[in-house]
Amino acid sequence: MTDHHHSPDQHDHKHTDGHPHRHPNQPDEEDGHLTEFRLMEIALREILIEKQVIAQHELHDIYQKMDHRGPHNGARMIARAWSDPSYLDLVRRDATEAAKSIGLEPTWLNLIVVENEPRIHNVVVCTLCSCYPWPLLGLPPDWYKSRAYRSDIVRKPREILKGFGTNLPDDVEVRVHDSSADMRYLVMPMRPNGTEDWTEEHLARLITRDSMIGVTTALDPADVPPDNG
Amino acid sequence: MAVPSQDPKFEPGETVRIRNAYPIGHCRTPFYIRGLSGKVERICGHFPNPEELAYGRDSQPALPLYRVRICMTEIWSDYSGPSQDTVEVEVFEHWLEHVGHPNP
């Protein structure tokens, strides 16, 4: 359920003052724009099911698997690497193997984990298309796939990072990774100070999707209190 | 018949130049690095040539794939950030040429 958005100039009053609001109607799913490729997908899927080449439930299983992939996967890897030096060593030697060893299934992935350091900040893009380590991060956000991001991040990375709230001093190297071929990248953000005795589970909550793409850093520990009980 | 794969021609640390070529058809060498030089950061391994794969052709032997680190100031003459900012791009061997000598 998404919140509807209000622009400041339209609303200078609260919702509780009684009079009706005018919001643009959002069309029902069926009344949205049907592109040629969307139509093609529907036609192909329906005929493959009709001819019993694939079964509806097989597709459903795949959708469920895809929906279950998300940044929590990558965050688990990073939290483990922060906590366990031998796991960090494996991540550095063979990141794909490191992912598999904690039960992730990046079977086709050729993974490289690039580590942020005090003087190096990494950020990932695919300028050619939108390659993304989705077994570890889930589906990519629309902005990652946009022409704007894909062209600007290799042209003026610091400006783009500023837009995400990430300001880097001039003595830090910004290193942009363009996944132009077979490798896929995950950024390991720097571990925030004051988290030395945190559990892996708690640490993982500091590590967001955007920090593993590299447009932000890990969250501030003060913003991620431990669970109660 | 198994096709023997070739040994990588370039080593990590070596300075290489990306060929300034514009062949017809599919390739995955971005335009913005063509003709520029950088350092080999690592050899990624051998992978099938996407230029062949795209047309359903035999993509053997697999070719060495490298990551090449290039300075932003090398790419953009008006780069506004610090001179140490870089891009690292994956480039197939047949797009690379020797320039300097490998680091000892």
Side-chain angles (χ1 to χ4, degrees):
Chain A
M1 181 79 183
T2 55
D3 285 343
H4 43 252
H5 297 278
H6 300 269
S7 62
D9 52 297
Q10 283 179 320
H11 288 81
D12 56 358
H13 51 268
K14 294 186 195 157
H15 273 235
T16 51
D17 62 5
H19 65 264
H21 285 234
R22 300 208 52 219
H23 296 273
N25 283 342
Q26 185 161 330
D28 287 345
E29 185 66 22
E30 291 83 349
D31 297 334
H33 181 48
L34 195 64
T35 63
E36 183 187 343
F37 287 111
R38 178 105 178 81
L39 195 56
M40 199 185 291
E41 184 269 325
I42 294 169
L44 191 61
R45 171 166 36 90
E46 288 182 350
I47 199 163
L48 287 174
I49 291 172
E50 185 185 308
K51 291 185 178 294
Q52 300 185 324
V53 176
I54 55 175
Q56 180 69 65
H57 73 83
E58 286 176 302
L59 283 177
H60 185 69
D61 286 347
I62 291 171
Y63 300 152
Q64 282 214 298
K65 268 210 175 96
M66 289 183 76
D67 284 346
H68 277 109
R69 289 191 182 116
H72 55 276
N73 287 344
R76 265 215 300 140
M77 268 191 83
I78 303 297
R80 173 80 46 105
W82 280 352
S83 311
D84 180 349
S86 64
Y87 187 73
L88 175 61
D89 186 61
L90 179 60
V91 165
R92 287 171 172 164
R93 280 186 289 109
D94 188 340
T96 306
E97 195 52 47
K100 287 184 194 162
S101 77
I102 59 169
L104 298 172
E105 291 179 38
T107 45
W108 52 268
L109 209 58
N110 299 293
L111 185 67
I112 294 178
V113 173
V114 287
E115 300 171 46
N116 284 354
E117 297 174 21
R119 293 269 134 73
I120 301 175
H121 184 91
N122 298 282
V123 61
V124 181
V125 65
C126 176
T127 60
L128 297 176
C129 44
S130 59
C131 303
Y132 191 74
W134 52 260
L136 299 179
L137 293 182
L139 294 177
D142 285 346
W143 59 258
Y144 180 86
K145 301 189 284 187
S146 70
R147 269 201 300 277
Y149 177 75
R150 287 158 48 216
S151 51
D152 288 349
I153 196 67
V154 292
R155 180 75 176 88
K156 36 188 175 173
R158 288 174 183 262
E159 204 176 297
I160 301 304
L161 292 174
K162 267 206 186 81
F164 281 94
T166 305
N167 296 292
L168 297 165
D170 283 355
D171 64 347
V172 170
E173 174 191 337
V174 170
R175 192 176 284 174
V176 182
H177 301 270
D178 190 352
S179 47
S180 48
D182 294 79
M183 314 309 293
R184 299 292 180 270
Y185 300 88
L186 200 70
V187 174
M188 183 184 305
M190 284 196 290
R191 178 177 184 167
N193 292 331
T195 62
E196 289 72 27
D197 56 350
W198 285 28
T199 62
E200 273 181 43
E201 210 171 52
H202 193 186
L203 285 171
R205 290 162 52 209
L206 291 170
I207 304 155
T208 61
R209 175 199 65 192
D210 286 358
S211 70
M212 290 183 281
I213 299 172
V215 292
T216 62
T217 57
L219 293 178
D220 186 331
D223 294 335
V224 187
D227 289 330
N228 292 325
Chain B
M1 183 182 75
V3 182
S5 68
Q6 59 213 68
D7 286 336
K9 266 201 278 197
F10 305 101
E11 295 173 9
E14 191 172 342
T15 301
V16 291
R17 180 177 295 115
I18 292 98
R19 283 197 300 128
N20 202 10
Y22 295 89
I24 298 166
H26 179 74
C27 66
R28 293 194 70 87
T29 307
F31 281 12
Y32 70 90
I33 62 168
R34 306 232 181 133
L36 302 182
S37 55
K39 279 209 162 76
V40 174
E41 185 265 348
R42 79 179 74 181
I43 304 168
C44 302
H46 288 72
F47 293 92
N49 187 351
E51 294 156 36
E52 298 295 303
L53 279 179
Y55 301 100
R57 290 204 292 257
D58 177 16
S59 56
Q60 293 302 318
L63 298 177
L65 178 68
Y66 302 85
R67 277 165 44 77
V68 180
R69 179 178 298 165
I70 303 170
C71 289
M72 284 290 193
T73 51
E74 174 91 359
I75 306 172
W76 316 110
S77 56
D78 60 348
Y79 184 68
S80 59
S83 57
Q84 75 271 17
D85 288 356
T86 56
V87 176
E88 294 189 357
V89 190
E90 296 158 47
V91 187
F92 279 92
E93 187 170 271
H94 61 297
W95 277 92
L96 298 175
E97 297 169 330
H98 286 285
V99 175
H101 297 288
N103 288 337

